[in-house]
Amino acid sequence: LPRCPHATQPPVPGRYAPTTTVIVRTTPDIRTFYAPTCLLKHYSGFFRAIIRDGKEGLGHMVQLPHDEPDVFGLFTTWIHIRSLYISLTPEGKIPTDWALICKAYVFGDTYKIPELCNDAIDLLFHKGAQISQVPDSEAGYIYKNTTPETRLRKYFVRQMTLRFEFRNLTKELDKYPKELLADVIV
């Protein structure tokens, strides 16, 4: 995908030291990540605010007790390669599943990482176009973890309005949040 013209240039790779230790836990899964402090601070308003410059060469430690390690792992991949997947499948498909892309957006929104949110929306669009589907299985997650103003929810409502097969709706009415149904009608 082409880069957004408003995307920022990351720091020079030779200047990635020191690292920040990030402990991410969702019971029972607890994982420790080591990420370049300068990249965390470059992309995230949250990390800029909580990681203070200390003595040169010393790392920092941050705990994220309510986040999923897989989502943070995807974020650490993203800060290095600026992509939410490493390569396409042998069939040429985007390998990242709907749920993880949506969780990456929510993570980016929570931790003030607008470029991650942009890339998540782009990937949802491209994945949907590739397989001619809408991530309707993620409706509950999106409505539980976003507000009406967030771009993920607006994107989702637009895609549901354009692509969803409403003739099947009566069979699966309980599957979708009532708020989504109201948003699609309005």
Side-chain angles (χ1 to χ4, degrees), residues 117-147:
C117 293
N118 289 344
D119 286 353
I121 294 286
D122 286 347
L123 192 58
L124 284 171
F125 175 80
H126 287 282
K127 185 174 180 82
Q130 247 186 7
I131 60 176
S132 298
Q133 285 185 347
V134 175
D136 64 328
S137 60
E138 301 309 314
Y141 177 82
I142 291 170
Y143 271 77
K144 182 179 176 186
N145 292 285
T146 64
T147 63

Side-chain angles (χ1 to χ4, degrees), residues 14-77:
R15 300 185 182 163
Y16 281 5
T19 60
T20 295
T21 302
V22 183
I23 300 170
V24 185
R25 63 183 80 214
T26 303
T27 306
D29 195 8
I30 299 172
R31 281 194 254 164
T32 301
F33 296 87
Y34 302 95
T37 302
C38 65
L39 291 179
L40 292 174
K41 291 171 70 174
H42 175 77
Y43 289 114
S44 170
F46 170 81
F47 286 106
R48 265 191 305 281
I50 66 162
I51 298 173
R52 300 285 179 227
D53 291 331
K55 296 186 180 187
E56 191 61 37
L58 295 180
H60 303 275
M61 183 164 53
V62 175
Q63 292 194 31
L64 301 177
H66 305 291
D67 291 291
E68 294 181 34
D70 287 346
V71 177
F72 191 81
L74 183 63
F75 169 62
T76 59
T77 297

Side-chain angles (χ1 to χ4, degrees), residues 90-158:
E91 298 80 30
K93 304 289 184 191
I94 295 168
T96 313
D97 65 30
W98 293 119
L100 194 53
I101 300 168
C102 292
K103 289 175 182 180
Y105 180 94
V106 170
F107 182 89
D109 193 47
T110 301
Y111 292 107
K112 299 174 179 35
I113 313 166
E115 291 179 59
L116 177 62
C117 293
N118 289 344
D119 286 353
I121 294 286
D122 286 347
L123 192 58
L124 284 171
F125 175 80
H126 287 282
K127 185 174 180 82
Q130 247 186 7
I131 60 176
S132 298
Q133 285 185 347
V134 175
D136 64 328
S137 60
E138 301 309 314
Y141 177 82
I142 291 170
Y143 271 77
K144 182 179 176 186
N145 292 285
T146 64
T147 63
E149 296 78 35
T150 56
R151 290 188 358 250
L152 177 60
R153 191 182 293 194
K154 288 179 180 180
Y155 166 81
F156 185 72
V157 168
R158 175 106 171 111

